[in-house]
Each structure stands twice: as structure tokens, then as C-alpha cells.
Amino acid sequence: QPLIFGPPEDHIEAMSAAAGPGGNCEGYLEHWETGVYNCGRCSRALYSSAEKWRGPCAWPSFRCPTGAGAISERPVQGYSRYQCAVLEVYCGNCRLFIGHSFEDAREKGDSGAECTGWRH
């Protein structure tokens, strides 16, 4: 089954990279209200605000998904010279490409007791 889709889904992905309030690279980077982040295509719950932390990049960082089956992942080899494990992340329901997950959260500043070692 293909994991990357066509133009309608590409448009959803492109919208996620649009500048948000205050000129942030990503509109939800500084969004700290309590709630759930859902898939842009099928509205499946993907990440809880309780798992969000201030990561090292322009995208929101999460420790883990909302539960089993929320996302699906596929290993990536040699992604942009990262030395840690890297996974492609897809919606567990409709398979929309969500982004990447990196096994470097501790090295990138997640020092909380809730740290899983991963940043999504």
C-alpha cells in the first residue's frame, strides 16, 4: 500500500508548513492550550497537548502519540545526517504523512520525567 498520496494530500501537508500567528514557521509551535491534535485529513486524534514539549525546531514536539494505532511509522536510513534512529510518521487511520520522529529527545532538551527518548 502506498504511504505517500497525491495532490489533495500534498496540499494538506503544505498548509501545515504555513506561517502561523506571530510569523512562526508552524502555526502550532507556540500553541499551548489543552487539547488534542488531530489528523488534517481524517480528524483522528494523533497527539495530546499533555505530551507536547518545547523542542529544538520550528515544529511542535511531542513525546508520544495518543495511543496504540494513532500513528504508523516506518524506519528511515540516512535522514539528513542524523545519527539517531529516525522514523517517518503517518496517520494510523488514513496514512497521511505527518512528519518524522527522532530518538534524540534527551539530547535535544527533553529533560522531563515524562521523556520517552523520542520527539515526534
Side-chain angles (χ1 to χ4, degrees):
Q1 75 183 355
L3 295 175
I4 301 295
F5 296 88
E9 291 75 25
D10 293 342
H11 175 69
I12 290 171
E13 290 179 40
M15 287 184 348
S16 72
N24 290 329
C25 293
E26 209 288 324
Y28 291 105
L29 180 63
E30 295 298 332
H31 180 85
W32 296 100
E33 293 179 29
T34 302
V36 175
Y37 293 79
N38 298 316
C39 176
R41 182 197 289 158
C42 73
S43 298
R44 181 184 195 117
L46 301 174
Y47 295 101
S48 167
S49 60
E51 296 298 335
K52 189 173 177 184
W53 62 284
R54 189 171 304 281
C57 62
W59 304 101
S61 293
F62 298 90
R63 292 180 176 101
C64 59
T66 56
I71 63 170
S72 63
E73 299 169 308
R74 183 171 76 174
V76 177
Q77 300 299 320
Y79 180 77
S80 192
R81 291 180 253 156
Y82 277 85
Q83 299 299 309
C84 64
V86 179
L87 305 171
E88 290 179 345
V89 178
Y90 300 87
C91 173
N93 183 52
C94 71
R95 303 290 189 249
L96 177 67
F97 176 73
I98 303 299
H100 293 88
S101 182
F102 305 89
E103 195 177 26
D104 66 355
R106 286 183 180 85
E107 293 84 5
K108 298 295 183 177
D110 188 2
S111 59
E114 309 87 3
C115 181
T116 63
W118 286 88
R119 63 183 172 100
H120 294 237

